[in-house]
Amino acid sequence: MDLSHVSHFPLFSNLSENEVKILINYLEKENYKKNEILYSPGLVRDKLRLIISGRVEVSAPSSDFEEPTTIYGPNQFLGEVSLLQEGTLHKAKAVALLSTKAITLSRQNFLKLMKDHQEISCKIQMSIGSFVFNRISSAVTHSSVHYAGYSSGKKRLEHDLLGNRELPDDAYYGVQTLRALENFNITGVKLKSFPIFIKGLAQVKKAAALANAELGVLNKDIANYIVMACDEIIAGHWHDQFLVDMIQGGAGTSTNMNANEVIANRALELWGKAKGDYNSIHPNNHVNLGQSTNDAYPTAIRLATLQSIPSLLEALVELCGLLSNKGNEFSDVIKMGRTQLQDAVPMTLGQEFEAFSVTLGEDIARIRDGAKLFLELSIGGTAIGTGINSHPKYAAKAIEKLREITELDLVASPNLIEATPDTGAFVLFSGILKRLAIKLSKICNDLRLLSSGPRCGFGDINLPPMQPGSSIMPGKVNPVIPEVVNQIAFQVIGNDLTVTMASEGGQLQLNAFEPVMVFNIFQSVTMLTRGMRTLGRLCVEGITANKEACRRSVEHSIGLVTALNPLIGYENSTMIAKEALATGDSVFNLVLKHKLLTRQQLEDALKPENMLSARL
């Protein structure tokens, strides 16, 4: 067995060369085919596996210290507990994603090592214990799908035009990302907070690698490893390495380099090379080949926006459906309509809720129309739209690859110089989001008014009680769900103003303020999506009608005489209204008192199908 293969593993870094030579005698080689299962839940942990090449995916139910899905790659290991405890069972399933080569140390051989060379076995146990502790300590910072790297404490040196910097050796980002972390501690909201954006970045880089390889300007092996790394990111892995603040100077360069560096280092690892070996795969020369931040970044924004819209529309359609269901449920509940907070004329509660559904439903088409603007891409324009430093056929080829990757009907902008600084699509789409937010807020205002009380307000409806409403007033329950959606709307409206000002602030051949635009648009989309689901599922679905209160308000409202006017005449209606105001008696009782209608006639008139008829 190759000594370098074993000594390269951080797990054995505390062993001398002579001790590694001894250890080799207790190790075995194993090869796994693609999709081969290494182990399954319930099997005994019987060996430590150290991966030389390939990838292994381990999936397990989430617990305090285990993540649902973890990718293991070259120089990483799994199954270490088998050497620390006897008879433990696997809780997860491990599958080789690619053909994988590994070095294994079985528990049986480890016990022999303990007997023959106790000092070496103790060093290995101490090393494993340290790695496991560091892994558990850092687990809370990882995303639901993350890298299996342990914090080794080792450093690597990287350099850029400003000089050399040390980075943690297990970090996949590089020196330019490190500088951005130091420079832009602005919002505290990192790229990893928007997985759909990271996915868009990886799709751009994958398309670029495929296009450049096909055009012969990028080595096919290098392209293959870049594509593999991008596929992992698209699938949700490594997002915890995207740490740059969403708002940054440099027109998105820090975001672009964060992606370039993570992809390059993961590609190197997949190739069996060390992170930071940029002579083999370079973030700029290879991952960013044929691109500039000025076309790659806005292209990723557009892809991310397009791919976030289905979730937004699903939430909107679901909410419209729930409101429409309430419209049907409340179709026989007669109530007073109100204008300017004053009694107007009767309507049904069902009509009110159906109107909510219709007004929101109008924005489904608006969102779809607005999304079409993002199908036009500036990729291939590089720095200012001239296409400098890219292959003449790169733009068309990259669009072709992006269409295949995303299955979206993407097209190239007819004028890349115009498209590079143009942010008009952001302004229009943000305005559509604002329109939706305003409608949602108006509906939530109405729900809060209609449910006000319970004794001294309108009291037309009951909102489902979600939590106690006061720390001092017993029994108080507040309309917390509509309130939070109101606040979402306020934020979206503010976000739209920010997008507007940032778009206006662009100068010459580039708009440097796209980071704040994308931050606000993605925030608006995310908040609206979550807010609509919250409103629908935690509020609208559980709303009930106060039928008697609604009926009572109709009977006592002066506005009822408007509906009765065709039956009793204008003069009688005026007389009844005047007397009701003077005495406080209900219009219903006064109509009976003056024998203008029989009780049966009045009851018939108050039926929803008659009350709301144009013939009434």
Side-chain angles (χ1 to χ4, degrees), residues 133-268:
F133 175 78
N134 288 334
R135 183 187 194 188
I136 291 173
S137 298
S138 63
V140 295
T141 66
H142 293 159
S143 59
S144 63
V145 181
H146 66 85
Y147 74 102
Y150 293 79
S151 179
S152 64
K154 290 186 174 182
K155 302 288 185 180
R156 71 174 187 266
L157 195 67
E158 291 193 16
H159 72 275
D160 60 10
L161 67 89
L162 298 182
N164 295 331
R165 292 298 302 272
E166 277 192 342
L167 291 106
D169 193 44
D170 53 351
Y172 287 80
Y173 58 83
V175 60
Q176 293 201 46
T177 301
L178 178 63
R179 295 196 190 280
L181 295 179
E182 295 169 343
N183 292 336
F184 306 126
N185 183 17
I186 308 301
T187 66
V189 180
K190 310 297 185 184
L191 294 176
K192 65 180 182 179
S193 299
F194 297 99
I196 198 75
F197 187 29
I198 297 174
K199 178 180 177 181
L201 288 163
Q203 288 172 329
V204 170
K205 301 302 175 179
K206 177 180 178 179
L210 291 170
N212 285 318
E214 197 166 311
L215 293 170
V217 295
L218 180 63
N219 177 278
K220 289 188 177 180
D221 288 336
I222 293 175
N224 182 50
Y225 288 116
I226 290 173
V227 168
M228 288 166 60
C230 290
D231 282 339
E232 290 185 355
I233 294 168
I234 291 167
H237 307 296
W238 317 108
H239 287 196
D240 59 333
Q241 297 293 294
F242 288 78
L243 299 173
V244 174
D245 199 289
M246 285 295 294
I247 295 183
Q248 59 202 246
T253 296
S254 296
T255 293
N256 188 38
M257 286 309 303
N258 195 166
N260 289 335
E261 290 172 341
V262 171
I263 292 167
N265 281 310
R266 180 54 183 158
L268 285 166

Side-chain angles (χ1 to χ4, degrees), residues 433-447:
L433 297 178
K434 179 180 72 171
R435 167 182 154 131
L436 174 59
I438 290 170
K439 289 185 175 185
L440 281 168
S441 193
K442 190 272 180 187
I443 289 170
C444 287
N445 292 340
D446 288 355
L447 293 178

